[in-house]
Structure formats: structure tokens, C-alpha cells
């Protein structure tokens, strides 16, 4: 421990603590701009300068390690003058016009720091050289006029996302933020995760969806889990007047600490499908608006029970709705098939393995954050479950070795140390070969480096996706377990949609056979139906669809009931690593549109069935592939 | 004791800061009780007394040689010079002209504008003031008190006037500090 004095307060801190962190622990506020808790200290803006007794000049507290007996003053006149001077230089370096902006108050960190220092004015004029604004990117606008060269965005792109798209060209005052080697951001390697926009302290990087739409202090915040995939990133949904304004990552929240991908951050605001706002019933061959009573009567008359009835629910639905759905159709109506829209593809083989072993065998996503070797089996973390891909990519420059086994079009392959071609169906062959190579050595030039990396790494990780889960047979899975056992590798299964694992725990994993169905009950929620499902349902004589949006599937259904979309209902989600998290309602549904659970309760009432309400118990009734914990 | 005297003038601004001054409503009677309001652009007397005033207030930035003269005259004739509003403090919206320069601004206004017919002419009478880069008042003469805002709040203006009337220098900070 190190003892030091900050503004007269004695404090003891751990070795390696910076003066800025020590000040924070002592309850002393030191203003910063380039610093961000999620990033490595940089010392670029000089706003955090402090007076250290015995030091020749002021020192940047963010990069200065605390040392024994240090006496620090953060409020000397010299420090206060330096802060104003630093801010004056920053303001005059580019073209900052927050002074004339009606809506910037409270939104801009640069402006807030200047207010904190009581700056009524500064003595230097702006640059008066206009810089081009680039709006080539679909979601992000880059405005070098407002850039303070703090490089938070560059460091975030590099350290947190591992994409290294952003960088600077030029030197000194002529440094400019660029994408790749100076190409328009819209044509760059950017993956649209938006971390740079969220971390920018000024308006140099803004998102097109929410910019210039009023003050940020003037919105409602809803801290909620993302429902776009099974990772379960925690995000803040910002709304104003029942309208989505923006989505941001929560820096302090597990498991991804503020990271989101384009699916979680930007695409929900691009939703342009037409809403289903009233019950629809097919009359004389065409769908017509109907009352709830008419629609429920039509369902009761056409659905039947038991044989020939198939029920499918989206894995984007809250666990409460999925459990109720299962109880209604499996326990009360004895439907032939009760499953999820994923039909267990992402989970069934793994759930079975957990049953066989009698215990959980997977590890949490966290193991991907610090590992020396990763073997990825049949999944493309650039395409989906992107944040898991960020965890891998950001470690590659630290020397983590990535090996990719899968189809040739896998986008992660270009970052890999080695690629093992793997066609669906041949999982067992590859894994058995790998096990043999670990046990007996190998001359195979493809396998040798994989084996070497897995064996030498302290905590190697084998991560697999839904293609693997759907195709791996018992031999493949046994080989996988053995490989993990031999190399000490942690197994991470990314699964499918947001509640893929909840569906697995409820046993909603059967395959849907449309040819055997005389009636089908489909809960799409806000999921866009696949062409395959739409086609399959064409064969089914009577189809009920619960959907937030119109689609070809709802167009072909016999009864359609409107339901809430993701932002309009609260509920629980079980992430790929067993984290039970809450999604919080952030918007009111259109008049007359109910949540999925409320809609199902109406249906149950019409069918005179009384499903069980104990959703949590039914979620825990089965051995999970990874321990479930309430977050 | 004689009351402190106050004079104001406007330069390259929109008169909005003076409107905001009037927005202190009936409190102006309290101000007048404490100070002797001399020349302002909205009263009969337009120029500050040659004998000098205690407080001079300038709204607007400096965008031509005439503004320079007015600013210098006010500085010479007042003890405490107040820059009122963003244009006086920073240059303000008119300063965005600096991005294109005086020549192209004139060209746009008097020749290229859609409302100008074929006989467009840039005014060049030697009697006219010469346009310059738009500057903050403090770039021409020293300023003692800065009250930013576009316009500054009436409450902030009242606070500043009340302080100045009682011989104190107002401190514009915390809740009173807003740039717009």
C-alpha cells in the first residue's frame, strides 16, 4: 500500500494506482476529458494536471502513478489557471460553437468542463478554418470541426472493439480523425458498433438518428437487457414522448461493459415494418380487422387441441411468456409439437449432453476476455453475437492465437492464425482428429499449431455456435468434451436469440413438421419470420399468428393478434452464459396492443385453459448447459 | 453620494441582448433607482457622456471600422466595460462569416443573392465603414466583465446590473453561467 496526501487528505492506495484514481478514492474531483474509465490512461488533454510537491512542472494525474509520501494539490491557483488555459487552447484549436447552440447544454463534456471552471469567455478565437463533415456512414457523422484530438474513439475502437478502424492522420493541430487510411467512414472497415459515438466527449462523432433532436438531459432512461442476441448486453434505452431517441451501452454493467453492436444500438431505430394494431380474422378468403372477441372465438373454433396442433414461439420473447406458452400448449392442450422458432437448433444437442453428464459443462463469456488461445467452431462472430467477436479481436494484438474451424466465408478467418476447413456434418471427424493429435502428436500442418496453442495456453477457450450445435452428433460432442478435458479448455456456447437458453430450459427444442399439423399457433413477437417458416405454414390448414409486425406470414394466417415489440414489454432473459436478466419496458404499445403474456392469457381464457404461472421454477427444472445465476 | 452612471451601445448583434435587458420587466425601476441610465441605443441620448460613465455595456461583436470606433469610445468613457451576450463575448453567430471571408460574404449578399437583379453592386462609398473579420469586443479593447448568453437571461442581466450599481463586480458562474 502507498500513502499519499491529496488536498490535505491522507489516503492509502494500492500499488499501481494513478493519482487520478487515488483522488477519486479520496473524494477529490479532478476534471478530465481524454480519460475514460474503460480505456488505458492516455494523458493527452492535460486537463487533469495537478500540483505535486517537489515536481518541476504540473503533472497529468491520469498517467502519474501514486508514490509513497506524495503530496498532491489539485486546487492551487497554478492548477486552476492551467485548466482554463488548456480549455482555451482546446476551444480555439478547432471550431466549437456550443456557445450559440440552444440544445447543447449538458450534452457536451467539453462545455461542461468549461462551465465547471467558470469560464465566461476565453482569449483566443476559434480556428476559422472549416473542416469537411463526413456523413458517408449510415449511422455516424464525423465532424473534425468539433474534435479535441483526445483519441478516446481511436482507443475504444482499438482497445475495446478490436476493430482499429479509427486513427489519426497528420500531426499537431493538423491531426485529423480518419477511418482506415483516410477513406470515408461509410466505406471503411467500421462494423457500426457505435462505441466511438458513445465515448466521444464532444460532438465530433454523432449518430444520425438522435443528433439535433433536443437536449440529452430531456429524455427518459430505461436500463434494460438487449434482446437482439443471447449475449445479453445491458443497454440504456433513451426515449422522449414515447419515441425511441437512442440506445447506449451501460459502461458499468456486466457482461460487456458498455459494448453493443449495430443490432443492439442502431438497427432497432431503423425499424420500418408496418405494425399489426388490431386483431385480424380471415373472412371470405381475406384478412379483415376484427374485435378481440371475434378473433378469440375464431381461434377457439379453429385451433383444436392435441393431435395435429403445433405451437411455435419466438426465442426473442420474455421467459415469462415462453413458460406460459409452454404450459398452455404442452400441459393444457397436449399439442403434438410445442417448440421454439429455433426448433432447438442452437441448443438441443447441448441440452442433451448436459442431461447425459448430469451437470453443466459450459463457461461464461468472461473467459473469452482473457485467453491466449481460442478455437472457434462453426460460428461467425463478425456476423452475429458480434460483441463476443470484439472480445476475441481485441486480444489478438496481445498475442492471443485464434483458430477458426468452419466454412470458408467465415469473416473471423482473416484474423485467425489458422483455418481448419469444416463442413457441417463432419464435426466428429475434425474433433476426433484433434483429440488424437493432442494425445499422440501430429504431423498435420493444419492441426499442429492448433494443438500446440491449446496445450500451451493457460486458459484456452473453445467457442461454438448454432451451426455446430445443430450438426454435432454424439461422437463429436464426446470428442469436444475430451478435447476440453485434455487441454483444460473452457467451453463457450453462444446459442441463438436472446432467450434461446430459456427456450432450451423449457424444453422447447422439438423439430416442427408442418406436414403433420392441422393447426399452428405461432408467436412471432417482433421477430421477422424466415422464408422457410412462411412456406412451411402454407401447408397448414389453420394458422394463428401473434405478431407485432405485418409480414408475408401474417398475411397468410387465418387469425392474427397484435402483440408488443421488444421495447413495449418487460420480461426476463436468460443469456448464453446463464445470466438471468431483465428487459424493461421503455415505450407504451399502441392503443389496444397487449404484451405477449397478456395476449396469451386472453387466448387461454378463450380456450378455457389455466396454464401455470411459475415461470422461474420451470426455467430451473432442467440441468442447464451453464449454471444459471440471477444478475 | 451620486448614483453610478450607465451607458450602453450595440455593435454587430441583433439587439436581442437589449431586449433581454428590457425583459427584466418592472425590476428596471429598481435599477433606475440605483443608477443613472445615460445613453442607450433605445433612448434619446445615443452617445455616452464625454465626462465619462461608471459602467459601459456593449452588445454585439466588432465587424467593421465603425464598430471599432464605438468600442474604443465606450472604453475611453467608461470605468467598467461589460461585454453583454455571445457576440460581444465570443463573436457570435455573425462571426461564422469568418469562415468565408469578407469578400465572398459581400459577393453573396449584393451580387449572387437570388433577390438581386443584374445590376447588383457592392457598396463602396468611402463614407461607409470598412467591413472586417468579426471579432469579440475583447480583441479590440480590454473588457472587465463578460456576460455570455444568446441572449443572457434577464435574471442574469438584472443580477449583473444590481451588482454594478452597488459598486461590486458581478461574478458570472454556476447557475448564472450559460453560453446560450
Amino acid at each position: 500500500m502507498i500513502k499519499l496526501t491529496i488536498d490535505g487528505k491522507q489516503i492509502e492506495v494500492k500499488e499501481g494506482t494513478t493519482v487520478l484514481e487515488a483522488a477519486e478514492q479520496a473524494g477529490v474531483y479532478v476534471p478530465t476529458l481524454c480519460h475514460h474509465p474503460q480505456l488505458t490512461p492516455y494523458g493527452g488533454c492535460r486537463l487533469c494536471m495537478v500540483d505535486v510537491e517537489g515536481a518541476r512542472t504540473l503533472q497529468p494525474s491520469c498517467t502519474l502513478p501514486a508514490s509513497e509520501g506524495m503530496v498532491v494539490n489539485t486546487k492551487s491557483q497554478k492548477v486552476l489557471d492551467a485548466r482554463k488555459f488548456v480549455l482555451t487552447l482546446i476551444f480555439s484549436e478547432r471550431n466549437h460553437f456550443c456557445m450559440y447552440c440552444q440544445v447543447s447544454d449538458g450534452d457536451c463534456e467539453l462545455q461542461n468542463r468549461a462551465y465547471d471552471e467558470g469560464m465566461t469567455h476565453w482569449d483566443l478565437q476559434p480556428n476559422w478554418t472549416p473542416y469537411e463533415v463526413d456523413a458517408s456512414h449510415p449511422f455516424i457523422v464525423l465532424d473534425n470541426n468539433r474534435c479535441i484530438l483526445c483519441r478516446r474513439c481511436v482507443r475504444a475502437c482499438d482497445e475495446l472493439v478490436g476493430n482499429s478502424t479509427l486513427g489519426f492522420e497528420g500531426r499537431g493541430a493538423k491531426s485529423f480523425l480518419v477511418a482506415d487510411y483516410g477513406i470515408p467512414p461509410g466505406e471503411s472497415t467500421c462494423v457500426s458498433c457505435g462505441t466511438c459515438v458513445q465515448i466521444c466527449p464532444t460532438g465530433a462523432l454523432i449518430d444520425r438518428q438522435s443528433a439535433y433532436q433536443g437536449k440529452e438531459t430531456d429524455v427518459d432512461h430505461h436500463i434494460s437487457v438487449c434482446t437482439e442476441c443471447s449475449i445479453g448486453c445491458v443497454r440504456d434505452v433513451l426515449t422522449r414522448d414515447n419515441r425511441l431517441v437512442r440506445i447506449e451501452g451501460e459502461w458499468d454493467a456486466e457482461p460487456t461493459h458498455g459494448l453493443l453492436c449495430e443490432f443492439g444500438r442502431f438497427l432497432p431505430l431503423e425499424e420500418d415494418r408496418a405494425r399489426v394494431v388490431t386483431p385480424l380474422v380471415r373472412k371470405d378468403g381475406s384478412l379483415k380487422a376484427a374485435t378481440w372477441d371475434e378473433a378469440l372465438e375464431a381461434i377457439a373454433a379453429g385451433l383444436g387441441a392435441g393431435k395435429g396442433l403445433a405451437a411455435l414461439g419466438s426465442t426473442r420473447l420474455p421467459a415469462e411468456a415462453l413458460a406460459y406458452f409452454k404450459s398452455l400448449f404442452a400441459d393444457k392442450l397436449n399439442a403434438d409439437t410445442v417448440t421454439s422458432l429455433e426448433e432447438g437448433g442452437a441448443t438441443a444437442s447441448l441440452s442433451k449432453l448436459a442431461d447425459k453428464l448430469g451437470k453443466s459443462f459450459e463457461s461464461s463469456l468472461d473467459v473469452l476476455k482473457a485467453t491466449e488461445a481460442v478455437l472457434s467452431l462453426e460460428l461467425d462472430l463478425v456476423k452475429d453475437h458480434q460483441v463476443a467477436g470484439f472480445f476475441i479481436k481485441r486480444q489478438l494484438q496481445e498475442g492471443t492465437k485464434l483458430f477458426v474451424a468452419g466454412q470458408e466465408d467465415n469473416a473471423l478467418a482473416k484474423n485467425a492464425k489458422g483455418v481448419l476447413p469444416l463442413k457441417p456434418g463432419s464435426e466428429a471427424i475434425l474433433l476426433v482428429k484433434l483429440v488424437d493429435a493432442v494425445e499422440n502428436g501430429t504431423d498435420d500442418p493444419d492441426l499442429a499449431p492448433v494443438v500446440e496453442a491449446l496445450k500451451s495456453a493457460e486458459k484456452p477457450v473453445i467457442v461454438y455456435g448454432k451451426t455446430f450445435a445443430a450438426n454435432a452428433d454424439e461422437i463429436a460432442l464426446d470428442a469436444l468434451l475430451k478435447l476440453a478435458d485434455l487441454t483444460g479448455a473452457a467451453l463457450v456456447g453462444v446459442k441463438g436469440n436472446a432467450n434461446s437458453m430459456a427456450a432450451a430450459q423449457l424444453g422447447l427444442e422439438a423439430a416442427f413438421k408442418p406436414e403433420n399439423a392441422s393447426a399452428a399457433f405461432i408467436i412471432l413477437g417482433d421477430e421477422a419470420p424466415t422464408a422457410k417458416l412462411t412456406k412451411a405454414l402454407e401447408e397448414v390448414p389453420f394458422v394463428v399468428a401473434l405478431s407485432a409486425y405485418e409480414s408475408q406470414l401474417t398475411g397468410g394466417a387465418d387469425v392474427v393478434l397484435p402483440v408488443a415489440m421488444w421495447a413495449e414489454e418487460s420480461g426476463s432473459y436468460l443469456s448464453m452464459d446463464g445470466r438471468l436478466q431483465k428487459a424493461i419496458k421503455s415505450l407504451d404499445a399502441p392503443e389496444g396492443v397487449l404484451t405477449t403474456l397478456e395476449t396469451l392469457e386472453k387466448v387461454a381464457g378463450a380456450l378455457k385453459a389455466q396454464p401455470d404461472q411459475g415461470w422461474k421454477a420451470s426455467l430451473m427444472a432442467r440441468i442447464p448447459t451453464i449454471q444459471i445465476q440471477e444478475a | 453620494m451620486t448614483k453610478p452612471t450607465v451607458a450602453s451601445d450595440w455593435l454587430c448583434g441583433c439587439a436581442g441582448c437589449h431586449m433581454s435587458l428590457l425583459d427584466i420587466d418592472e425590476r428596471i425601476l429598481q435599477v433606475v433607482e440605483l443608477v443613472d441610465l445615460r445613453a442607450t441605443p433605445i433612448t434619446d441620448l445615443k452617445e455616452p457622456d464625454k465626462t465619462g460613465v461608471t459602467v459601459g455595456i456593449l452588445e454585439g461583436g466588432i465587424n467593421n471600422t465603425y464598430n471599432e470606433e464605438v468600442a474604443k469610445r465606450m472604453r475611453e468613457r467608461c470605468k467598467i466595460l461589460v461585454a453583454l451576450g455571445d457576440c460581444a463575448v465570443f463573436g457570435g453567430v455573425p462571426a461564422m462569416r469568418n469562415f468565408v471571408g469578407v469578400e465572398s460574404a459581400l459577393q453573396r449578399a449584393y451580387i449572387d443573392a437570388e433577390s438581386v437583379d443584374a445590376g447588383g453592386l457592392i457598396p463602396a462609398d468611402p463614407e461607409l465603414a470598412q467591413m472586417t473579420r468579426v471579432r469579440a469586443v475583447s480583441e479590440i479593447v480590454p473588457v472587465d466583465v463578460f456576460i455570455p448568453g444568446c441572449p443572457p437571461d434577464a435574471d442574469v442581466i438584472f443580477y449583473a446590473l444590481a451588482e454594478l450599481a452597488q459598486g461590486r463586480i458581478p461574478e458570472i458562474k454556476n447557475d448564472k453561467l450559460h453560453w446560450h
Side-chain angles (χ1 to χ4, degrees):
Chain A
M1 296 298 269
I2 293 168
K3 279 191 197 128
L4 74 162
T5 309
I6 302 178
D7 289 356
K9 289 183 190 175
Q10 297 233 329
I11 177 166
E12 225 174 301
V13 295
K14 273 192 223 143
E15 205 127 334
T17 308
T18 64
V19 171
L20 180 66
E21 288 161 347
E24 204 169 90
Q25 287 172 31
V28 173
Y29 170 72
V30 177
T32 57
L33 270 176
C34 75
H35 183 73
H36 192 278
Q38 296 294 327
L39 300 174
T40 311
Y42 183 66
C45 74
R46 304 326 244 193
L47 186 60
C48 69
M49 302 255 259
V50 293
D51 220 339
V52 179
E53 262 188 39
R56 194 170 52 85
T57 56
L58 297 179
Q59 301 290 316
S61 61
C62 67
T63 52
L64 184 68
S67 61
E68 187 61 38
M70 208 177 229
V71 179
V72 178
N73 190 340
T74 74
K75 296 191 175 61
S76 71
Q77 196 53 47
K78 203 170 152 193
V79 170
L80 299 182
D81 290 347
R83 278 183 202 163
K84 281 194 180 177
F85 184 59
V86 164
L87 289 167
T88 298
L89 290 178
I90 292 174
F91 273 114
S92 60
E93 188 164 40
R94 291 281 159 91
N95 301 300
H96 296 279
F97 297 122
C98 35
M99 300 85 82
Y100 325 131
C101 173
Q102 295 280 346
V103 296
S104 66
D105 234 19
D107 292 8
C108 171
E109 289 185 42
L110 174 61
Q111 184 178 17
N112 291 344
R113 294 298 87 77
Y115 279 159
D116 292 345
E117 299 307 315
M119 289 179 75
T120 54
H121 69 289
W122 44 90
D123 294 329
L124 299 173
Q125 277 274 301
N127 183 309
W128 294 127
T129 306
Y131 302 108
E132 270 183 31
V133 175
D134 187 302
S136 62
H137 194 283
F139 306 121
I140 301 168
V141 176
L142 163 59
D143 185 351
N144 266 301
N145 290 287
R146 297 161 172 180
C147 179
I148 60 169
L149 314 185
C150 72
R151 290 166 171 81
R152 266 196 204 175
C153 53
V154 175
R155 289 179 286 145
C157 193
D158 183 50
E159 289 178 24
L160 302 181
V161 186
N163 215 53
S164 303
T165 296
L166 293 173
F168 268 83
E169 69 176 20
R171 294 178 65 109
K174 288 188 176 145
S175 307
F176 294 104
L177 176 60
V178 295
D180 293 330
Y181 295 104
I183 60 171
E187 294 162 24
S188 71
T189 56
C190 173
V191 294
S192 303
C193 73
T195 312
C196 56
V197 175
Q198 186 174 328
I199 213 164
C200 178
T202 68
L205 287 164
I206 53 177
D207 74 284
R208 304 168 77 116
Q209 294 166 330
S210 76
Y212 309 112
Q213 291 192 20
K215 283 189 190 185
E216 199 162 311
T217 42
D218 200 21
V219 295
D220 297 314
H221 295 266
H222 313 269
I223 308 297
S224 187
V225 65
C226 179
T227 53
E228 296 299 325
C229 84
S230 57
I231 291 180
C233 304
V234 179
R235 60 185 184 177
D236 183 4
V237 180
L238 282 69
T239 63
R240 186 188 293 123
D241 303 330
N242 205 38
R243 198 173 62 84
L244 272 180
V245 173
R246 188 166 65 241
I247 296 173
E248 291 189 339
E250 272 292 286
W251 293 120
D252 298 329
E254 298 282 351
T256 61
H257 288 277
L259 296 186
L260 296 175
C261 68
E262 61 180 325
F263 293 104
R265 188 189 300 270
F266 293 126
L267 293 175
L269 278 87
E270 301 284 306
E271 182 60 68
D272 61 355
R273 287 177 286 169
R275 281 301 287 266
V276 177
V277 289
T278 178
L280 303 167
V281 175
R282 189 167 296 281
K283 285 177 201 156
D284 311 322
S286 67
L287 272 182
K288 298 236 165 60
T291 63
W292 276 92
D293 286 342
E294 284 170 334
L296 292 169
E297 270 171 39
I299 291 173
L303 205 58
K307 203 160 163 44
L309 175 58
L312 290 84
S314 167
T315 42
R316 288 170 59 93
L317 299 174
E320 292 84 345
L322 280 176
Y324 190 91
F325 161 76
K326 189 219 170 175
S327 176
L328 171 61
F329 284 95
D331 307 340
K332 307 297 167 191
L333 301 176
N334 297 312
D336 259 0
T337 312
V338 184
T339 186
S340 75
L341 293 180
E342 286 181 15
E343 298 172 54
T347 53
S349 60
L350 303 164
S351 302
K352 224 182 275 171
L353 183 58
D355 285 340
K356 190 173 104 180
L357 293 172
K359 60 172 188 182
S360 307
F361 58 91
E362 289 181 331
S363 298
S364 89
L365 193 59
D366 283 346
V367 297
L368 270 182
K369 294 179 187 170
T371 173
E372 304 98 84
V374 181
L375 172 60
S376 147
L377 294 173
E378 294 189 299
L379 85 165
D380 188 344
L381 293 176
V382 175
K383 212 183 281 167
D384 45 41
H385 302 89
Q386 291 184 11
V387 178
F390 301 163
F391 290 159
I392 296 175
K393 283 201 290 178
R394 73 190 192 191
Q395 286 180 87
L396 295 178
Q397 53 203 350
E398 312 286 325
T400 295
K401 290 179 181 135
L402 168 67
F403 296 91
V404 170
Q407 301 277 64
E408 279 160 9
D409 60 355
N410 190 325
L412 255 192
K414 69 170 192 278
N415 302 99
K417 274 260 182 282
V419 178
L420 305 174
L422 171 57
K423 285 207 176 95
S426 57
E427 292 78 10
I429 300 172
L430 178 72
L431 286 165
V432 167
K433 263 199 226 168
L434 276 168
V435 168
D436 179 62
V438 170
E439 283 180 322
N440 307 316
T442 179
D443 299 331
D444 187 321
D446 286 340
L447 296 184
V450 184
V451 170
E452 164 60 24
L454 290 180
K455 277 170 87 171
S456 61
E458 203 175 312
K459 293 177 200 153
V461 178
I462 301 173
V463 55
Y464 42 85
K466 55 185 171 195
T467 312
F468 178 80
N471 293 297
D473 56 16
E474 229 180 307
I475 302 171
L477 292 172
D478 285 343
L480 176 70
L481 285 179
K482 188 150 191 208
L483 184 62
D485 203 33
L486 288 169
T487 58
L491 297 175
V492 175
V494 301
K495 308 182 179 68
N497 282 333
N499 245 342
S500 199
M501 183 163 167
Q505 286 306 103
L506 293 166
L508 303 173
E509 294 185 310
F512 169 48
K513 298 203 169 57
E515 60 275 17
N516 300 335
S518 54
F521 188 94
I522 314 291
I523 316 179
L524 288 171
D526 54 17
E527 185 169 341
T530 59
K532 187 177 156 227
L533 177 67
T534 306
K535 182 124 189 28
L537 289 173
E538 282 170 10
E539 300 173 33
V540 180
F542 184 78
V543 175
V544 179
L546 271 57
S547 179
Y549 298 102
E550 289 176 11
S551 61
Q552 202 186 327
L553 188 154
T554 62
D558 297 280
V559 181
V560 181
L561 296 179
V563 286
M565 45 76 97
W566 65 269
E568 294 162 356
E569 61 187 341
S570 296
S572 301
Y573 285 82
L574 190 54
S575 75
M576 53 157 282
D577 51 359
R579 204 180 287 275
L580 190 59
Q581 305 185 110
K582 274 254 184 267
I584 303 296
K585 177 183 163 177
S586 37
L587 293 175
D588 290 328
E591 185 69 34
V593 174
L594 306 172
T595 66
T596 314
L597 187 58
E598 288 164 347
T599 310
L600 280 173
E601 283 166 352
K602 271 187 182 284
V603 172
L607 298 172
K608 303 200 166 41
Q610 284 183 314
D612 302 330
Q613 295 280 5
W615 65 274
K616 206 184 272 185
S618 47
L619 218 54
M620 307 293 181
R622 184 179 192 187
I623 296 164
T625 57
I626 178 166
Q627 283 301 330
I628 294 173
Q629 41 183 311
E630 286 192 53
Chain B
M1 202 181 86
T2 52
K3 289 190 206 173
T5 46
V6 175
S8 78
D9 212 335
W10 56 37
L11 308 167
C12 180
C14 69
C17 297
H18 274 78
M19 295 303 115
S20 197
L21 190 153
L22 293 178
D23 207 21
I24 67 177
D25 300 330
E26 76 283 359
R27 286 177 292 180
I28 200 156
L29 298 175
Q30 289 170 258
V31 173
V32 172
E33 254 176 51
L34 291 169
V35 302
D36 185 0
L37 207 52
R38 302 292 301 165
T40 75
I42 46 178
T43 51
D44 288 343
L45 185 61
K46 302 296 182 195
E47 291 182 15
D49 306 69
K50 281 185 182 152
T51 49
V53 291
T54 320
V55 177
I57 299 171
L58 288 177
E59 171 194 334
I62 311 288
N63 90 330
N64 59 30
T65 49
Y66 174 66
N67 289 164
E68 286 173 14
E69 275 172 38
V70 173
K72 283 176 183 162
R73 183 177 66 205
M74 185 64 92
R75 177 71 273 186
E76 277 163 19
R77 293 182 183 182
C78 74
K79 289 201 182 80
I80 299 165
L81 181 60
V82 178
L84 181 66
D86 279 347
C87 299
V89 172
F90 299 108
V93 170
M96 295 182 89
R97 183 176 92 192
N98 297 347
F99 277 125
V100 297
V102 170
E103 269 176 36
S104 54
L106 286 170
Q107 174 76 21
R108 172 75 193 137
Y110 290 100
I111 310 286
D112 298 341
E114 290 72 7
S115 57
V116 176
D117 62 20
L121 197 63
I122 294 173
D125 192 299
E127 294 275 305
L128 291 174
Q130 295 298 304
M131 277 172 71
T132 63
R133 194 168 65 87
V134 181
R135 289 152 293 169
V137 172
S138 63
E139 290 181 84
I140 304 299
V141 292
V143 171
D144 303 301
V145 178
F146 295 86
I147 308 178
C150 187
D153 248 23
D155 291 345
V156 174
I157 295 178
F158 176 71
Y159 160 78
L161 288 175
E163 290 292 288
L164 288 162
Q166 295 168 81
R168 293 189 291 267
I169 296 294
E171 277 192 72
I172 309 296
K173 60 181 184 183
N174 302 332
D175 288 352
K176 297 186 184 71
L177 176 55
H178 284 285
W179 296 336
H180 56 76

